[in-house]
Amino acid sequence: MSRIGNSPVKIPDGVSIEVKDSMVTVKGKLGELSQEFSGIDIKVEDGNVVLERPSDDNEHKAKHGLYRALINNMVEGVTNGWTKQLELVGVGYRASNQGQKLDLALGFSHNIILDIAPEVKIETISEKGKNPIVKLTSHDKQLVGQVAAKIRSFRKPEPYKGKGVKFVGEQLRRKAGKSA
């Protein structure tokens, strides 16, 4: 039994949810998100979204919790938004942005210039004596995670010194160097 799928999603003030055919649309103050679904009954009842599965098949059980989590993330996104912060650890690692273009200096012979989707707001924070931070904000959790993963993939943190692009608060698995 899916414990996540059984709990209803509360709809806050200022958010409207529309269920048509096999599409859920969530509208709020920060934007609008849509998600296709199949195999699950979705109903909007007195300020809550209730998901019910037609049978106890493994496929229906899996989708029950999945769609509930997706709808909850959509509601959370259009009300508060989602934020990811990336930290650039390493000598000479820099980040700057001009509009939706992110310019990264990560120790390669050239700078990496990345065009960011218009739905994602980007901010770079560079303070003297601290590592540069790239802050991504959007109403779409999936898109923020995808962009953050793309930026991190340019230079993943290495286990010896911890140099690279990492999420703020991420615990790295460190290794001991050569023993003398």
Side-chain angles (χ1 to χ4, degrees):
M1 174 182 279
S2 172
R3 293 169 191 222
I4 293 171
N6 287 335
S7 57
V9 178
K10 288 185 175 47
I11 305 172
D13 295 334
V15 175
S16 66
I17 296 181
E18 199 175 292
V19 181
K20 270 192 186 166
D21 302 331
S22 63
M23 186 75 79
V24 176
T25 307
V26 180
K27 291 179 187 159
K29 65 179 181 190
L30 293 180
E32 178 181 336
L33 292 168
S34 297
Q35 175 68 45
E36 278 191 51
F37 67 93
S38 64
I40 298 290
D41 301 324
I42 300 176
K43 298 184 192 94
V44 179
E45 299 171 350
D46 48 80
N48 288 326
V49 179
V50 181
L51 289 88
E52 294 172 356
R53 59 176 183 247
S55 71
D56 279 346
D57 289 352
N58 281 343
E59 183 184 352
H60 290 148
K61 283 182 181 179
K63 287 183 177 179
H64 192 204
L66 169 75
Y67 289 137
R68 192 262 178 210
L70 288 175
I71 291 170
N72 189 47
N73 287 342
M74 289 161 65
V75 169
E76 183 72 25
V78 296
T79 52
N80 303 327
W82 296 99
T83 303
K84 289 250 187 209
Q85 292 186 332
L86 295 142
E87 185 178 8
L88 281 62
V89 182
V91 177
Y93 287 12
R94 288 186 307 277
S96 63
N97 67 310
Q98 297 87 29
Q100 290 299 97
K101 284 193 187 303
L102 178 65
D103 188 3
L104 298 167
L106 298 176
F108 297 113
S109 61
H110 59 283
N111 286 4
I112 298 167
I113 298 171
L114 183 67
D115 286 323
I116 307 293
E119 296 89 19
V120 179
K121 292 179 192 70
I122 188 163
E123 181 186 348
T124 52
I125 305 162
S126 297
E127 293 178 24
K128 193 168 174 71
K130 292 187 178 174
N131 293 328
I133 291 176
V134 177
K135 189 174 179 182
L136 304 167
T137 311
S138 178
H139 62 281
D140 191 347
K141 185 177 186 180
Q142 233 173 332
L143 188 61
V144 169
Q146 188 175 356
V147 171
K150 179 71 175 168
I151 294 169
R152 186 177 185 269
S153 72
F154 292 131
R155 178 79 80 169
K156 287 187 179 163
E158 52 93 24
Y160 298 102
K161 288 184 175 177
K163 287 173 51 174
V165 180
K166 70 180 189 92
F167 293 109
V168 171
E170 180 182 4
Q171 295 291 315
L172 296 177
R173 214 164 140 204
R174 301 297 289 268
K175 290 183 180 178
K178 295 188 288 187
S179 54

